[in-house]
């Protein structure tokens, strides 16, 4: 059975009998579910691609999804700095998978612009920043950086599946998955494709203002619905310390308490706040690790605190 043939329109509800069960779409619990028709007509049985993905993912110890409710809040920046930071330990093998298919910025942020994927007998080879840091992105498949990716659902899902199934990561301690903003088809796909491979959890990145937080609530509810553990929420672009007068100002006002209050309200861990620092944007534009380039900065301090919490959460739950 192809999972693409059974692309659900919404996450399965809690009382779902299982999208692959013989009663899928037919049991009493299915009445009124938006997926009912898809489930009742699709062929039954395990998706052979999911079995292959499970095999491929056996060499990956931890899988962490990075999510955001909105675009532009710093999700890709966070994914890249987390990956760079993990790879500072030479004994840690790190992979960064960019499935932000319509806006892949990871090649630039990781200093890999213009690189292309090679195919070997073992699959698609990721592009290496250094021996222990491998990257895969749809950006590597584009001829020119400014080429637009205008793909419809099934093609996008097909590519995500291929990334999970065919990329030869070798042994990884951590696979960081940078996802598109919001809760879209791509999110459902990745959850569906990785459901038997175990996702350690999701880190949700937001900025402090209310319009961003509204979407984060949706993201949290999505994770709860599909059963992805929430590692925690990070507030990015949280305050700005002027390098001249050292006074802190709030550029994006946390009108109703920001991400910290929202995390409390929704009963999910709050991981910390990363301030605005123009040098973060510059490091990303130059494809460099901010933490290595500016080890003494306030933002580096905050990044480290957040990363430690993520690792503690992942390592203690394994
Ligand atoms: P997203 O992945 O959520 O769309 P990006 O990671 O591409 O967002 O970030 C959007 C822009 O904001 C980029 O130019 C990035 O360099 C910048 N940026 C992200 N976080 C910070 C920060 N803490 N301080 C300053 N600039 C930041």
């Amino acid at each position: 059975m192809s999972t693409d043939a059974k692309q659900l329109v919404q996450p399965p509800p809690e009382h779902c009998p299982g999208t692959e069960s013989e009663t899928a779409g037919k049991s009493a619990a299915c009445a009124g579910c938006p997926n009912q028709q898809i489930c009742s007509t699709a062929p039954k049985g395990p998706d052979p691609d999911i079995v292959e993905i499970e095999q491929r993912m056996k060499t990956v110890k931890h899988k962490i999804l990075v999510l955001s409710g909105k675009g532009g809040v710093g999700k890709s920046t966070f994914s890249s700095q987390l990956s760079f930071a993990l790879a500072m330990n030479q004994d840690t093998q790190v992979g960064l998978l960019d499935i932000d298919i319509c806006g892949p910025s990871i090649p630039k942020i990781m200093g890999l612009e213009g690189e292309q994927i090679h195919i070997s007998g073992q699959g698609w080879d990721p592009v290496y920043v250094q021996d222990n840091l491998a990257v895969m992105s749809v950006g590597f498949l584009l001829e020119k950086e400014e080429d637009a990716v205008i793909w419809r659902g099934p093609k996008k899902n097909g590519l995500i599946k291929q990334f999970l199934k065919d990329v030869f990561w070798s042994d990884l301690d951590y696979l960081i998955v940078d996802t598109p903003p919001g809760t879209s088809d791509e999110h459902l796909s990745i959850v569906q494709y990785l459901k038997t491979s175990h996702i350690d959890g999701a880190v949700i990145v937001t900025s402090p203002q209310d319009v961003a937080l509204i979407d984060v609530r949706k993201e949290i509810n999505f994770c709860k619905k599909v059963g992805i553990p929430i590692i925690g929420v990070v507030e990015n672009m949280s305050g700005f310390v002027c390098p001249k007068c050292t006074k802190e100002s709030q550029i994006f006002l946390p009108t109703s308490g920001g991400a910290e209050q929202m995390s409390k309200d929704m009963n999910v861990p709050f991981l910390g706040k990363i301030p605005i620092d123009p040098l973060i944007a510059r490091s990303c534009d130059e494809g460099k690790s901010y933490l290595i380039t500016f080890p003494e900065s306030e933002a580096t301090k905050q990044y480290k605190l957040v990363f430690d919490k993520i690792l503690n959460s992942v390592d203690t739950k394994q």
Side-chain angles (χ1 to χ4, degrees):
M1 178 203 67
S2 149
T3 313
D4 292 336
K6 201 169 64 179
Q7 188 57 53
L8 304 183
V9 291
Q10 276 195 15
E14 266 163 49
H15 52 266
C16 173
T19 57
E20 269 138 28
S21 83
E22 286 303 321
T23 58
K26 294 177 183 140
S27 83
C30 302
C33 173
N35 301 318
Q36 184 175 18
Q37 192 177 354
I38 301 168
C39 289
S40 62
T41 51
K44 304 291 180 291
D47 181 344
D49 284 334
I50 292 186
V51 178
E52 272 189 57
I53 290 171
E54 196 181 338
Q55 275 309 107
R56 186 63 94 179
M57 287 293 143
K58 278 204 169 133
T59 60
V60 178
K61 259 194 218 155
H62 298 295
K63 296 158 213 85
I64 300 173
L65 304 187
V66 181
L67 309 175
S68 71
K70 273 205 186 312
V73 298
K75 171 186 51 61
S76 297
T77 303
F78 187 86
S79 304
S80 64
Q81 297 310 318
L82 172 61
S83 305
F84 273 129
L86 290 169
M88 282 166 80
N89 180 344
Q90 293 298 315
D91 297 328
T92 303
Q93 304 299 319
V94 184
L96 172 58
L97 173 63
D98 174 17
I99 59 161
D100 193 345
I101 290 186
C102 292
S105 49
I106 289 292
K108 183 172 180 67
I109 303 179
M110 299 303 285
L112 299 173
E113 261 180 303
E115 296 282 348
Q116 289 192 334
I117 295 169
H118 298 278
I119 298 177
S120 69
Q122 287 161 308
W124 293 12
D125 290 331
V127 180
Y128 282 83
V129 177
Q130 58 196 51
D131 281 354
N132 65 336
L133 178 52
V135 179
M136 180 55 74
S137 165
V138 69
F140 297 139
L141 301 173
L142 304 177
E143 294 263 304
K144 289 193 256 59
E145 194 193 341
E146 62 271 24
D147 282 351
V149 189
I150 314 167
W151 287 350
R152 287 160 61 90
K155 197 164 173 194
K156 284 198 256 180
N157 293 325
L159 184 66
I160 292 173
K161 190 186 261 186
Q162 198 150 17
F163 272 171
L164 295 172
K165 192 163 66 86
D166 294 341
V167 176
F168 177 61
W169 294 105
S170 196
D171 288 333
L172 286 186
D173 294 293
Y174 299 97
L175 179 65
I176 310 301
V177 185
D178 188 43
T179 66
T183 49
S184 60
D185 263 9
E186 288 97 305
H187 296 87
L188 272 179
S189 298
I190 194 141
V191 170
Q192 219 174 331
Y193 299 153
L194 288 178
K195 69 181 169 195
T196 54
S197 308
H198 178 67
I199 299 172
D200 289 78
V203 175
I204 303 174
V205 181
T206 182
S207 49
Q209 66 274 47
D210 277 359
V211 276
L213 293 175
I214 291 167
D215 286 356
V216 175
R217 288 173 188 270
K218 290 187 202 154
E219 206 72 36
I220 291 173
N221 285 332
F222 169 83
C223 290
K224 287 182 176 167
K225 249 187 181 165
V226 297
I228 305 176
I230 296 169
I231 296 171
V233 175
V234 182
E235 186 174 280
N236 187 40
M237 306 189 182
S238 179
F240 171 72
V241 182
C242 169
K244 292 213 171 98
C245 69
T246 69
K247 259 190 136 181
E248 185 173 347
S249 19
Q250 299 296 325
I251 308 273
F252 299 120
L253 272 185
T255 323
S256 50
E260 191 165 11
Q261 184 59 44
M262 184 220 54
S263 301
K264 261 189 214 142
D265 295 345
M266 296 203 69
N267 204 17
V268 296
F270 180 67
L271 299 173
K273 299 180 183 185
I274 314 291
I276 292 175
D277 181 347
L279 296 173
I280 294 179
R282 195 171 93 192
S283 300
C284 290
D285 284 354
E286 293 176 353
K288 290 184 184 155
S289 160
Y290 171 82
L291 275 78
I292 293 177
T293 319
F294 301 100
E296 304 299 332
S297 72
E298 177 59 25
T300 291
K301 227 186 282 167
Q302 299 306 324
Y303 267 130
K304 282 186 175 163
L305 290 173
V306 170
F307 295 165
D308 281 349
K309 284 189 190 166
I310 295 174
L311 295 195
N312 276 340
S313 157
V314 166
D315 290 340
T316 49
K317 276 191 201 137
Q318 66 181 329

